[in-house]
Amino acid sequence: MNVLQLTNVTKRYGSQVAVDDLSIAVEQGQTISLLGPSGCGKTTTLRMIAGFDQPDEGSVMIAGQEMGDRRPYERNVGLLFQDYALFPHMTVAENVCYGMRHRGVERSLIPARLKEMLDLVHLNGYEDRRPAQLSGGQQQRVALARAFATNPEVMLLDEPLSALDAKLRQELRIELKRILRAVGCTTIVVTHDQEEAMSLGDTVIVMSQGRVMQEGPPTEIYKNPKTKFVAEFIGRSNWFSGTLGEINGDGTCRFETTEGLSFLVPTPDGAVSGSQDYEICVRPERIHTSYSSALAKESGALNRITGTMSDVAHLGADIHLVIETGGGRLITASEQYLGQGLEQSGEAVELTFRPMDCIVVPADS
């Protein structure tokens, strides 16, 4: 049974449609990432699940029960706010126990549940501290412990890592995933950060203008985006516009760009030569420069583009490169740094990538 189900949900604010005919089904223990830009409807969706807003159309069901006009405290839902919303005058223990006391949990059971939650988030020994005495990461874990302490049917995380600096965000992303797996609670994560969405979610739902643009496992969304919007939002991209040329019998076809480049790409379903304008996306990590041996053993056809090194950024474990082609096009590439020599700005360089590394989408998507 689906623990959470939204069916044909629509929410309007005046003439503005914030969520448009949205349907989502979430199974027990599954984590869903709602990903999209500001204004796409993801936070409105979360608010309707929590009960802060009511849909104008459609239904929200939790554990098989229609929520209807049930108020937030009448729904067995946990919520982690962006700013954690801890009570500053309360200790860690008092914050974690707050929900249990107001949900009618038997008093004799609360101490054991408190210890269980503090064990879960690795904060034993912090019971008597107040939020001001904690780091940002510790505050987040207190907020998580408080939310999970009431055994919610559904956990809602609203931009859970946005208040943290970049290094701490990366560390706590791993910690948060561990906690979600340990608890096994059905979870909705709302975020605009594609790395956060892909690392936390079993399924990623990409939203735009209140609608679902694509839904699927993180790897599928990244490797096979259905539209240009999804491809751009879920990762970095190099884009080429043009038309299809000769179609081969091996599943590839020739692609001619508007600026005179030519290379092989996977043949789109139903395509015929020159029938439609297409756009090709090649991820920076799929493009290799002439000093790289990553594609040295490839026996199949390789696409090759020549250009001039415009910029090299050495970022520790990775190298980011910008190459300018003869037509003035700038192409970005990203490689793992393995101690190899680096071309300098102004040097000639050859780029290689496989036909299968090209993502083909219709030009009007």
Side-chain angles (χ1 to χ4, degrees), residues 161-179:
L161 305 175
S162 63
L164 306 173
D165 62 59
K167 187 174 186 298
L168 185 56
R169 189 183 307 133
Q170 187 173 16
E171 294 173 355
L172 286 183
R173 189 185 302 147
I174 299 171
E175 178 72 1
L176 178 56
K177 189 167 186 175
R178 177 194 67 80
I179 293 171

Side-chain angles (χ1 to χ4, degrees), residues 261 287-290 304-311 322-331 343-352:
L261 299 174
I287 297 177
H288 301 275
T289 58
S290 51
R304 302 178 187 276
I305 298 176
T306 57
T308 303
M309 188 66 69
S310 176
D311 184 55
V322 180
I323 297 91
E324 183 175 354
T325 67
R329 144 94 60 174
L330 295 178
I331 298 175
E343 285 100 336
Q344 302 300 312
S345 295
E347 291 187 20
V349 63
E350 182 180 65
L351 306 178
T352 57

Side-chain angles (χ1 to χ4, degrees), residues 237-276:
S237 310
N238 294 287
W239 287 98
F240 303 89
S241 301
T243 57
L244 301 183
E246 180 183 359
I247 296 179
N248 305 314
D250 59 357
T252 66
C253 61
R254 180 64 55 181
F255 182 75
E256 308 289 344
T257 75
T258 54
E259 58 213 36
L261 299 174
S262 176
F263 43 82
L264 293 174
V265 302
T267 305
D269 293 338
V272 295
S273 298
S275 63
Q276 183 180 350

Side-chain angles (χ1 to χ4, degrees), residues 313-320 335-340 342:
H314 190 189
L315 304 179
D318 298 312
I319 311 163
H320 290 187
E335 295 188 353
Q336 185 179 7
Y337 180 62
L338 300 173
Q340 66 269 46
L342 302 177

Side-chain angles (χ1 to χ4, degrees), residues 23-221:
S23 294
I24 298 174
V26 190
E27 298 176 359
Q28 174 64 47
Q30 190 177 18
T31 298
I32 300 291
S33 293
L34 295 183
L35 175 67
S38 297
C40 74
K42 57 187 187 295
T43 297
T44 301
T45 300
L46 182 144
R47 290 179 60 84
M48 287 189 288
I49 297 170
F52 299 129
D53 290 333
Q54 296 298 323
D56 296 313
E57 299 172 18
S59 66
V60 176
M61 298 186 70
I62 296 176
Q65 300 293 314
E66 170 65 55
M67 291 296 100
D69 293 328
R70 289 194 189 182
R71 289 163 288 188
Y73 62 84
E74 296 174 319
R75 307 182 184 203
N76 190 14
V77 171
L79 180 59
L80 177 65
F81 296 95
Q82 293 183 41
D83 60 0
Y84 313 140
L86 297 176
F87 298 110
H89 63 287
M90 293 185 181
T91 65
V92 167
E94 290 168 339
N95 267 284
V96 174
C97 294
Y98 181 85
M100 290 189 282
R101 291 183 175 131
H102 285 75
R103 291 282 182 94
V105 176
E106 187 177 331
R107 287 187 175 275
S108 63
L109 301 178
I110 290 179
R113 184 63 175 166
L114 170 63
K115 183 180 185 306
E116 181 185 352
M117 289 298 97
L118 293 181
D119 283 342
L120 176 70
V121 298
H122 298 162
L123 283 178
N124 267 317
Y126 289 77
E127 292 87 342
D128 297 328
R129 296 195 188 186
R130 299 188 188 278
Q133 298 172 300
L134 303 174
S135 68
Q138 290 168 339
Q139 290 180 29
Q140 185 213 46
R141 284 185 277 165
V142 173
L144 276 171
R146 180 180 63 183
F148 280 125
T150 58
N151 285 314
E153 294 281 359
V154 178
M155 173 63 71
L156 305 175
L157 307 181
D158 185 13
E159 303 280 2
L161 305 175
S162 63
L164 306 173
D165 62 59
K167 187 174 186 298
L168 185 56
R169 189 183 307 133
Q170 187 173 16
E171 294 173 355
L172 286 183
R173 189 185 302 147
I174 299 171
E175 178 72 1
L176 178 56
K177 189 167 186 175
R178 177 194 67 80
I179 293 171
L180 294 178
R181 284 180 172 174
V183 175
C185 183
T186 304
T187 305
I188 305 293
V189 180
V190 165
T191 181
H192 66 274
D193 185 315
Q194 59 110 350
E195 290 186 3
E196 188 175 308
M198 294 179 69
S199 63
L200 294 176
D202 304 309
T203 296
V204 175
I205 297 177
V206 183
M207 296 183 66
S208 176
Q209 298 180 338
R211 288 184 169 271
V212 173
M213 304 303 292
Q214 190 169 342
E215 175 180 352
T219 52
E220 177 66 19
I221 295 286

